[in-house]
Amino acid sequence: MNFLNRDMIIYKTPEEIEIMREAAQIVSRTLGLIAKHVKPGITPLELDKIAEDYIRSQDAEPGFLGLYDFPNTLCISINDAVVHGIPNGEPLKEGDIISVDCGSIYKGYYGDHAFTFEVGEVSPEIKKLLRITRECLDLGIAEAKAGNRIGDIGFAIQQHAEKNGYGVVRDLVGHGLGTSMHEEPQVPNYGRRGRGKKIQNGLTIAIEPMINMGTEKVVQLDDKWTIVTEDGLPSAHFEHDIAIINGKPEVLSTFKYIEEALKKK
Ligand code: MG
Ligand code: MG
């Protein structure tokens, strides 16, 4: 890491943003493929292999594999796991929810996005958690416009989550994205209106609400990766890659492949 640049936001040119769009879309298509396979009985390791093979077939590389020594292509976080779950060989069960977070590197730029899937039929309470978390993501994205500040994004997300009685994870945040997976600025899912760095054209960020059904508090498991809720209640996580273009947020990633796959199920 270049320590001189660690507090600097790296704004992207339109050409760089187009490469980032493809990096994000590779992840989007990967998650679309995963959507077809998520069902009771399949294992996270099987999903991981499907994702790795697909990403490599797209002239890209898995973005997480080896990053900070992470051992896999996907982070798969089940039920009370919030993020950073390591794929294992245990079959998924009816009623589980799994956050699948996926990264790619394409022409030197990162894509990074995530979707929480239902495994078979889940309870109405969990369906609501997923719906509200997705709404939080959309509300956060809408605030990512020129003239606003980073705190406006977190404020919108936090308001919506807490209004519904949910906990907003504080220990992990969204982030700038580019030739590194994690660039400045940090993009918290909580905040105050009008606070934080100014949003301007060329900013590229990953917005990723992590919303818990219960307490906002989280703990890390002994595997040194998996983050779980302290109270054991479920958590949801959705993430998109955003670029600010002509003053407005443009979503570089898409859930359309996931939605197409889920409709056919
Ligand atoms: Mg991610
Ligand atoms: Mg991220």
Side-chain angles (χ1 to χ4, degrees), residues 128-144:
K128 183 182 171 198
L129 174 70
L130 299 179
R131 176 173 60 79
I132 298 294
T133 306
R134 265 189 85 164
E135 289 171 3
C136 283
L137 174 59
D138 291 339
L139 290 167
I141 291 169
E143 295 294 326

Side-chain angles (χ1 to χ4, degrees), residues 53 84 144 219:
D53 290 349
H84 300 170
V219 287

Side-chain angles (χ1 to χ4, degrees), residues 66-77:
L67 184 72
Y68 315 119
D69 292 327
F70 189 77
N72 291 86
T73 293
L74 299 178
C75 292
I76 298 190
S77 308

